[in-house]
């Protein structure tokens, strides 16, 4: 079974530039999450999708972050414009809709904002 | 709101000794509890979970965890540590019926030969 795919693995940008991250979840996993992991901290939820609908985006800084999952499969997270404090690893995770399911994580996309 | 506390940033044990990584949680209603492990420059990998039933759950690589409802704890344990167990460990909680998992800030486990 293929895992959660993410790209790019690493990205370095200047502040005020834009960046986009892509995620392809495990086949059949209707629930998809984007987490932000700052060095030394645990993952913090940015947004949760169920199929192509947003379930929870209460922690997403909507003035600069956006995410979409147009066909209910892969997803894109965009930051525009980036700030220094956005330097982090962006983790995509997916699971089956059953409430007891564990999360399957991708390798993450490490963003450095200079 | 749900939350997780991992009171120890770092746990050091000698190879062959038992290990415990602590986790306490706060959630409304019955919890689903999870442990994940993260190796350098990798995503998180699932170790084990408590959903219901037996308070002692067994998972991958010989790890187990004990759910204690009265103490709202879910400590990770292993009877005999290996050097290869050295990694960053995260505890997570999800309320029954909720979609969101909340993670602790992690505990770095170092097992010395």
């Amino acid at each position: 079974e293929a895992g959660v795919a993410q790209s790019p693995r690493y990205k370095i940008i200047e502040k005020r530039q834009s960046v986009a991250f892509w995620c392809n979840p495990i086949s059949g996993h209707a629930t998809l999450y984007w987490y932000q992991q700052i060095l030394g901290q645990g993952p913090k939820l940015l947004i949760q999708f169920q199929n192509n609908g947003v379930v929870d985006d209460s922690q997403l800084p909507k003035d600069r972050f956006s995410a979409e999952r147009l066909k209910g499969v892969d997803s894109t997270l965009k930051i525009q414009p980036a700030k220094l404090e956005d330097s982090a690893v962006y983790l995509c995770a997916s699971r089956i809709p059953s409430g007891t399911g564990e999360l399957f994580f991708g390798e993450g996309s490490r963003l450095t904002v200079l | 709101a749900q939350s997780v506390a991992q009171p120890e940033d770092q746990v050091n044990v000698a190879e062959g000794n038992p290990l415990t990584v602590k986790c306490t949680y706060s959630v409304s209603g019955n919890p689903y509890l999870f442990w994940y492990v993260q190796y350098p420059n990798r995503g998180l990998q699932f170790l084990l979970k408590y959903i219901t039933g037996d308070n002692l759950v067994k998972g991958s690589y010989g790890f187990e965890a004990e759910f204690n409802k009265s103490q709202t704890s879910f400590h990770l344990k292993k009877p005999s540590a290996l050097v290869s167990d050295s990694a960053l460990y995260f505890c997570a909680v999800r309320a029954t019926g909720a979609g969101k998992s909340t993670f602790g800030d992690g505990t770095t486990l170092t097992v010395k030969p």
Side-chain angles (χ1 to χ4, degrees):
Chain A
E1 175 180 78
V4 176
Q6 287 190 248
S7 66
R9 285 296 314 276
Y10 304 92
K11 188 74 175 179
I12 300 174
I13 62 174
E14 301 280 335
K15 60 183 179 184
R16 290 187 291 274
Q17 287 186 325
S18 63
V19 63
F21 302 112
W22 173 83
C23 171
N24 190 39
I26 292 172
S27 177
H29 283 196
T31 308
L32 183 148
Y33 305 81
W34 283 101
Y35 281 86
Q36 181 192 56
Q37 186 179 16
I38 293 172
L39 187 63
Q41 299 181 18
K44 300 291 191 294
L45 181 68
L46 292 174
I47 190 167
Q48 177 190 348
F49 292 95
Q50 181 78 12
N51 295 307
N52 60 350
V54 175
V55 174
D56 184 350
D57 65 356
S58 58
Q59 300 302 306
L60 188 74
K62 298 181 187 63
D63 58 334
R64 297 183 300 106
F65 285 66
S66 64
E68 60 184 12
R69 194 184 183 198
L70 292 176
K71 296 183 179 180
V73 180
D74 55 350
S75 175
T76 303
L77 175 71
K78 296 180 181 178
I79 307 174
Q80 182 179 14
K83 293 186 174 181
L84 296 177
E85 58 260 36
D86 297 332
S87 294
V89 177
Y90 291 86
L91 293 166
C92 179
S94 68
R95 67 173 175 88
I96 60 173
S98 163
T100 62
E102 63 271 21
L103 302 184
F104 291 80
F105 283 86
E107 302 275 87
S109 294
R110 181 179 297 277
L111 174 65
T112 302
V113 182
L114 303 176
Chain B
Q2 55 193 39
S3 65
V4 172
Q6 294 182 239
E8 302 156 317
D9 290 337
Q10 179 99 26
V11 170
N12 298 310
V13 298
E15 188 174 31
N17 282 1
L19 69 87
T20 299
V21 182
K22 296 180 180 177
C23 170
T24 59
Y25 67 90
S26 173
V27 69
S28 297
N30 293 321
Y32 298 149
L33 293 157
F34 304 82
W35 276 101
Y36 294 85
V37 61
Q38 187 176 35
Y39 297 99
N41 299 315
R42 304 293 297 275
L44 281 70
Q45 298 175 33
F46 168 73
L47 272 181
L48 51 77
K49 64 183 175 184
Y50 171 82
I51 302 302
T52 188
D54 195 345
N55 289 342
L56 184 66
V57 294
K58 295 186 183 298
S60 307
Y61 313 117
F63 283 93
E64 57 190 27
E66 186 167 12
F67 171 63
N68 187 315
K69 187 172 183 178
S70 63
Q71 297 186 4
T72 62
S73 67
F74 189 56
H75 300 331
L76 181 70
K77 300 181 180 184
K78 188 174 182 181
S80 178
L82 299 172
V83 172
S84 57
D85 293 330
S86 299
L88 182 56
Y89 291 82
F90 290 97
C91 180
V93 66
R94 186 160 79 229
T96 306
K100 168 185 172 180
S101 292
T102 299
F103 289 80
D105 281 336
T107 298
T108 299
L109 172 68
T110 302
V111 181
K112 298 184 177 179

